[in-house]
Amino acid sequence: MAKRKVDTENRGFQTRWESEYMFTKVAGKPVCLLCGESAAVLKEYNLRRHYETKHADKNKNMDMEQRLQKAEELKRGLKSRQALFKKAKSQGQAAVKASFILAEEIAKSARPFTEGDFIKNCMIKVCDEVCPEKRQLFLNVSLSRNTIAERVDQLSINLKEQLVKKGKDFIAYSLAVDESTDISDIAQLSIFIRGVDSNLSVTEEFLALRPMHGTTTGHDLYEEVSRCVNEMELPWEKLVGLTTDGAPAMCGHRSGLVAKIREKMQEENATGELTAYHCIIHQEALCGKALKMEHVMSIITRTVNFIRAKGLNHRQFKAFLTELETEHGDLPYHTEVRWLSQGKVLQRCFELREEICLFLDSKGKDTTQLRDEMFLCEMAFLCDITSHLNAINLQLQGRDRVISDMYSTVKAFKTKLTLWETQMRKENLSHFPSCQTMKEKLSTSAFPSTQLADKIGMLAADFRRRFADFEAQKSRLELLGNPFAVDVESSPPNLQMELIDLQCNDALRAKYAAVGAAEFARFLPGTMPQLRIQAAQTLSMFGSTYLCEQLFSLMNLNKTSHRSRLTAEHLHSILRISSAQSLTPNIDELVEKMGHHQVSPSTSNK
């Protein structure tokens, strides 16, 4: 005989049981108003037996009206206690949520975990002045160092779980990898991922920061990257591109990271070919060295260092500029690792060239080189060309950059170099304002236009050489940049029919004109699956390691000489939170997971 299931019998609670047996219904179960016990089954026999065995003697002299009155009083008391419990639970959850919110802000602002105690003290002082009756609510918010550290780790884990979930929908993804050293001389490997799902939506997020305590060979780098990919449960066959800083350990043909990953993809029977790029921004900075004008920069650097290195010289120089009422009041330093600083130093030195010479004369320094007309012409040229290089550098920086747009920027700059070389040979200095200034001030010697045009030609040649790998991908990049201008006959056979359909579709052509190349890919119809896959692969590619460099700046802000003992786990958690772009921690979910845990004032003051 089958066992009865009382839950399916739809037994209802009868109102008369409140006065007869002192029971009420709470959350679907009968609960005694006198002792708080609940009956296992909603059945009159069970309620009557409970009342007669435990409470009948105490209430036997009460008539029905008194029973009803007492039942109502007991119900009001029960509701009051329930409301109090719900309020306490709500306040506890609010305190926990507040600690998560503040932990996230502390992580994003690169503050130490101990900052939580300072924030809490400030909150309490403000509360005492504004709303002293709510002091206990602020005391219940735990912001101790250990609590903040724990919250930061939980927020980081939540972000990682979201990324893993998103990663399952990627139809193509690429990695950006770079390596740097922190203040403790520990090599740190930064890895970012850029994935595209079936809707052609792009997700660009921090993947991992891996400390490397030993060697940093290509094999070591591969082991860390491989571990990251496997932890994220990302399929190797969907890996499209790998962008690095171009170091031998990254790009070595036999034992570099790129070579190792290609071997791994072959082992996994991946059908696609891995496209490896050297960071566009890094290569653009390296191209500037092709000018071979270190002799000019060394004189300027030596001059700036003389003025800035000694406090007395620096103070006197600033006072001198103030006395002369110049537009600028100081000289900036030049730092080799900060590529844009060279242009700023050159520009300032050129504008203050006469004042600098006067100041050095007053200090008894030889200014023959600084007054030489050939040197001044070279300085003016270096100032102008560096300004142009800095402009393209800034154009290539930033998040969510599409590689086809970056390629177009480089392509445009190469065309400009050809124009500038031709114009320089004709002494047309329209795009070189500093050179124009010097030409107008030359006394005897002619402006060295031919020599400087040769410099521009050298720069253009170095651009062509360094960006040859992008030229090899030209057709692929142009397919995303402007599919309506692509030659169908020279395109891969699997794309030709879809390309013809696309180029003959006036509605899609109008959409392309309205939204632009980067957004247009999402409007490709499902009837063009090959074009969608091609677009996804190109959209997933990193053009530079800008995000890695940006992360290293965040790392240096967090791991300073005052926080050199920050653990690798906590540093990783902080950087995941502070570098998150499209993902945000689900704090409500984290609070819910913590369940009924409430923070007491005693624990919050530890």
Side-chain angles (χ1 to χ4, degrees):
M1 185 176 177
K3 187 176 181 181
R4 290 174 62 193
K5 295 183 179 180
V6 295
D7 292 341
T8 62
E9 295 182 5
N10 297 322
R11 293 174 176 167
F13 183 86
Q14 298 184 28
T15 308
R16 63 182 178 82
W17 293 346
E18 291 181 353
S19 56
E20 290 181 11
Y21 310 122
M22 295 296 172
F23 267 83
T24 190
K25 189 177 180 181
V26 177
K29 289 187 176 182
V31 176
C32 180
L33 291 168
L34 297 170
C35 66
E37 288 187 16
S38 61
V41 180
L42 188 57
K43 194 174 180 181
E44 184 176 7
Y45 170 77
N46 293 346
L47 275 57
R48 184 172 62 247
R49 185 180 62 180
H50 173 87
Y51 177 77
E52 289 176 351
T53 55
K54 295 189 176 183
H55 307 299
D57 293 340
K58 297 177 182 177
N59 302 294
K60 60 183 179 181
N61 296 326
M62 296 174 64
D63 57 25
M64 186 55 66
E65 186 176 346
Q66 290 174 323
R67 284 172 176 274
L68 282 170
Q69 186 176 358
K70 186 170 183 178
E72 287 299 322
E73 290 176 1
L74 291 171
K75 281 172 65 178
R76 284 195 295 271
L78 178 62
K79 288 180 180 178
S80 177
R81 291 194 299 275
Q82 286 175 332
L84 188 64
F85 175 75
K86 286 181 181 178
K87 184 179 179 182
K89 182 181 178 182
S90 176
Q91 289 175 352
Q93 288 181 334
V96 174
K97 184 174 181 178
S99 69
F100 272 112
I101 292 171
L102 287 170
E104 183 182 7
E105 292 302 316
I106 288 172
K108 285 182 176 179
S109 60
R111 304 277 182 177
F113 296 151
T114 51
E115 201 82 358
D117 289 322
F118 170 73
I119 292 173
K120 183 168 183 177
N121 289 334
C122 293
M123 285 166 49
I124 297 300
K125 289 182 182 295
V126 171
C127 175
D128 287 342
E129 295 299 324
V130 178
C131 48
E133 71 281 0
K134 296 186 177 181
R135 192 174 199 271
Q136 189 59 50
L137 295 178
F138 287 90
L139 284 171
N140 288 346
V141 181
S142 179
L143 296 176
S144 65
R145 180 180 63 83
N146 289 340
T147 300
I148 295 297
E150 182 184 351
R151 297 285 189 267
V152 166
D153 287 340
Q154 289 173 305
L155 290 166
S156 173
I157 291 169
N158 182 264
L159 286 171
K160 184 178 179 180
E161 288 172 350
Q162 290 183 49
L163 185 58
V164 170
K165 186 177 179 181
K166 270 184 170 285
K168 295 183 187 302
D169 298 327
F170 290 162
I171 59 175
Y173 70 93
S174 295
L175 301 175
V177 182
D178 200 355
E179 181 258 327
S180 186
T181 306
D182 65 21
I183 196 168
S184 302
D185 290 330
I186 298 172
Q188 300 281 0
L189 186 68
S190 169
I191 308 170
F192 274 79
I193 185 171
R194 183 180 170 94
V196 181
D197 61 20
S198 56
N199 296 321
L200 298 185
S201 296
V202 180
T203 300
E204 191 177 76
E205 288 292 338
F206 168 70
L207 192 60
L209 182 75
R210 294 301 175 103
M212 309 198 53
H213 298 280
T215 57
T216 56
T217 64
H219 179 73
D220 298 323
L221 300 177
Y222 164 72
E223 288 294 327
E224 294 297 337
V225 173
S226 177
R227 192 175 296 116
C228 271
V229 172
N230 292 332
E231 284 178 3
M232 291 292 296
E233 301 175 15
L234 296 166
W236 286 97
E237 63 268 16
K238 292 181 182 178
L239 178 60
V240 175
L242 179 64
T243 304
T244 68
D245 62 355
M250 297 280 189
C251 300
H253 292 296
R254 293 185 179 179
S255 56
L257 173 63
V258 175
K260 293 286 184 183
I261 288 183
R262 281 179 173 151
E263 288 177 12
K264 177 65 176 178
M265 291 179 70
Q266 288 177 358
E267 291 174 10
E268 296 288 331
N269 297 318
T271 55
E273 175 69 22
L274 178 70
T275 304
Y277 287 122
H278 180 179
C279 170
I280 292 179
I281 299 176
H282 191 214
Q283 292 204 81
E284 181 272 333
L286 291 174
C287 284
K289 298 183 182 297
L291 295 168
K292 295 182 179 178
M293 300 188 74
E294 291 81 4
H295 62 288
V296 176
M297 202 63 216
S298 63
I299 294 172
I300 292 172
T301 303
R302 193 161 59 245
T303 302
V304 172
N305 287 347
F306 172 77
I307 294 172
R308 291 291 305 259
K310 291 185 179 180
L312 177 61
N313 287 349
H314 190 201
R315 290 194 300 272
Q316 290 176 339
F317 181 70
K318 289 197 291 184
F320 180 66
L321 294 180
T322 303
E323 184 181 339
L324 294 177
E325 297 181 349
T326 58
E327 181 181 352
H328 305 293
D330 201 1
L331 278 177
Y333 261 130
H334 166 50
T335 308
E336 190 68 26
V337 295
R338 296 183 182 274
W339 301 328
L340 300 181
S341 70
Q342 179 175 321
K344 294 177 181 177
V345 171
L346 281 165
Q347 187 67 37
R348 188 67 59 84
C349 285
F350 182 77
E351 293 172 355
L352 295 175
R353 59 191 181 281
E354 294 179 3
E355 290 82 359
I356 290 171
C357 287
L358 289 173
F359 180 75
L360 293 178
D361 286 339
S362 70
K363 289 290 183 177
K365 288 287 182 179
D366 183 20
T367 58
T368 305
Q369 284 182 312
L370 291 173
R371 295 182 187 276
D372 181 74
E373 289 185 345
M374 181 57 71
F375 170 80
L376 288 172
C377 289
E378 290 183 328
M379 178 182 173
F381 171 74
L382 189 58
C383 178
D384 287 333
I385 199 70
T386 305
S387 174
H388 290 311
L389 287 169
N390 283 357
I392 183 179
N393 192 294
L394 289 170
Q395 282 182 275
L396 294 171
Q397 291 182 24
R399 298 187 71 110
D400 299 319
R401 298 305 309 273
V402 180
I403 193 170
S404 56
D405 292 342
M406 298 177 78
Y407 168 74
S408 297
T409 301
V410 173
K411 183 181 175 182
F413 191 77
K414 288 193 290 186
T415 305
K416 291 176 184 177
L417 286 172
T418 303
L419 173 67
W420 293 338
E421 182 182 1
T422 304
Q423 290 181 335
M424 182 63 76
R425 293 192 187 280
K426 297 177 181 179
E427 294 194 9
N428 179 352
L429 305 177
S430 305
H431 304 289
F432 291 81
S434 300
C435 289
Q436 184 68 44
T437 302
M438 280 309 305
K439 183 183 177 183
E440 293 170 358
K441 293 190 175 182
L442 284 178
S443 56
T444 55
S445 59
F447 186 80
S449 56
T450 303
Q451 180 184 339
L452 297 180
D454 291 340
K455 294 283 186 185
I456 297 175
M458 292 166 59
L459 181 61
D462 204 51
F463 258 85
R464 287 192 294 270
R465 179 179 65 84
R466 290 191 176 276
F467 290 98
D469 51 347
F470 284 93
E471 284 297 324
Q473 299 289 329
K474 179 181 177 180
S475 58
R476 184 180 192 176
L477 298 175
E478 288 181 345
L479 191 62
L480 178 67
N482 189 358
F484 294 94
V486 172
D487 180 33
V488 175
E489 191 173 348
S490 61
S491 300
N494 65 319
L495 299 177
Q496 289 176 347
M497 297 299 101
E498 292 182 10
L499 268 174
I500 292 173
D501 291 338
L502 174 67
Q503 293 180 358
C504 295
N505 190 313
D506 293 335
L508 289 175
R509 188 182 290 273
K511 178 61 72 173
Y512 174 83
V515 301
E519 292 294 322
F520 175 70
R522 290 163 53 187
F523 295 95
L524 287 171
T527 54
M528 300 179 182
Q530 294 300 320
L531 280 177
R532 287 180 67 86
I533 292 171
Q534 186 73 25
Q537 291 177 344
T538 307
L539 281 171
S540 74
M541 290 184 189
F542 281 103
S544 73
T545 57
Y546 170 82
L547 293 179
C548 297
E549 297 288 352
Q550 191 180 51
L551 189 84
F552 291 139
S553 297
L554 285 172
M555 177 185 74
N556 292 331
L557 278 175
N558 283 278
K559 194 170 184 180
T560 63
S561 57
H562 300 291
R563 297 182 75 190
S564 58
R565 295 178 65 186
L566 186 69
T567 66
E569 292 76 15
H570 285 153
L571 178 62
H572 186 275
S573 296
I574 291 169
L575 294 179
R576 186 178 291 282
I577 294 168
S578 55
S579 65
Q581 185 73 7
S582 59
L583 302 178
T584 53
N586 191 334
I587 294 177
D588 290 330
E589 180 184 317
L590 290 169
V591 173
E592 193 67 31
K593 280 183 180 179
M594 296 192 69
H596 302 287
H597 294 167
Q598 294 188 22
V599 185
S600 65
S602 59
T603 59
S604 65
N605 291 325
K606 285 184 179 178

